[in-house]
Amino acid sequence: MTTQTAPAASASARVPQEERTRLMRARLLEATVDCLVERGFGGTSTTLVSERAGVSRGAQLHHFPTKNALVLAAVEHLTEVRGAELAAAAARLPGGPRRTRAVLRMLGDHFASPVFTAALELWVAARTDEHLMAAVAPLEQRVGRETHRMTVELLGADESVPGVRELVQATLDLVRGLGLANTISDDARRRGRILDQWADTLDAALAGSPSATEGKAS
């Protein structure tokens, strides 16, 4: 009888441990992102991350024995966080004649957010670290493709019209550049004026697109 019930007891004991492990890893990855924002890549260390996460050094080293292992895991975590934040912000956007402005403000806020600052730190570090580049590059390409697709959808842009794809890409290049400027100083007011002007440009350029007209009406 004891022999038959042992596997079930063992399985029930494994579930909480797996959940504790998942939560510990999540804390470590979130702490890594926070450190990247506050201290930069050079100032981020495994010791600092474990202290911030409230995890013992031994436990941290068990899951991520080196800074590179920790940062590489944080790259994928950061990609998921950025995607989730963008999707949540997009779901709250209003329709109507000021939708283009709302879309651009949403993108501008995202690229001025702490998660983008953390991503910038990884971009700079990856430039001279081939292992980090191997992890960062494909994930950034994935984020770029998804952000482009989402922007096309939110603007109701028809990329079969000549020049529209380039306008969408120029929009994303613009908000990334404004996000980069924001790392030096709070640029919110200037960013808002630029994006409002660009919204007028986009509205005029996309005015003839059937899908854009439908987006404004929704």
Side-chain angles (χ1 to χ4, degrees), residues 4-217:
Q4 292 176 345
T5 57
S10 175
S12 65
R14 275 201 308 272
V15 173
Q17 178 58 42
E18 290 169 358
E19 179 64 10
R20 285 197 297 272
T21 298
R22 186 189 69 78
L23 292 173
M24 181 184 296
R25 287 175 65 90
R27 289 204 307 274
L28 285 166
L29 296 178
E30 287 163 9
T32 302
V33 172
D34 289 343
C35 286
L36 287 168
V37 173
E38 295 174 13
R39 304 292 187 98
F41 183 81
T44 296
S45 67
T46 54
T47 301
L48 192 61
V49 168
S50 62
E51 289 174 356
R52 181 160 193 138
V55 173
S56 72
R57 280 284 288 156
Q60 182 257 305
L61 290 171
H62 173 71
H63 293 289
F64 304 107
T66 66
K67 176 179 175 177
N68 265 6
L70 182 60
V71 170
L72 290 177
V75 170
E76 187 148 6
H77 172 71
L78 187 58
T79 302
E80 293 171 0
V81 170
R82 289 170 66 193
E85 286 192 0
L86 270 173
R92 297 191 295 268
L93 287 172
R98 294 182 64 83
R99 180 173 174 83
T100 301
R101 273 178 169 72
V103 171
L104 296 187
R105 291 286 183 127
M106 181 272 287
L107 290 170
D109 289 346
H110 172 75
F111 284 102
S113 70
V115 293
F116 181 67
T117 300
L120 281 176
E121 287 292 331
L122 294 173
W123 292 2
V124 173
R127 188 180 67 84
T128 54
D129 184 325
E130 62 179 353
H131 297 295
L132 188 56
M133 178 62 80
V136 169
L139 289 173
E140 281 301 325
Q141 289 168 4
R142 190 176 88 193
V143 170
R145 287 193 299 269
E146 179 57 24
T147 306
H148 185 102
R149 182 203 62 76
M150 180 184 293
T151 304
V152 169
E153 182 179 311
L154 293 174
L155 292 174
D158 182 357
E159 290 196 303
S160 68
V161 176
V164 168
R165 179 175 179 78
E166 288 73 20
L167 273 174
V168 172
Q169 194 57 58
T171 299
L172 293 174
D173 288 344
L174 172 62
V175 290
R176 285 192 193 96
L178 291 170
L180 179 59
N182 196 72
T183 62
I184 305 300
S185 62
D186 184 357
D187 210 34
R189 291 181 63 186
R190 174 174 166 272
R191 182 171 70 249
R193 292 196 302 270
I194 291 172
L195 292 179
D196 283 349
Q197 184 60 48
W198 187 246
D200 291 340
T201 300
L202 279 178
D203 280 339
L206 300 176
S209 169
S211 51
T213 305
E214 291 167 8
K216 302 291 184 200

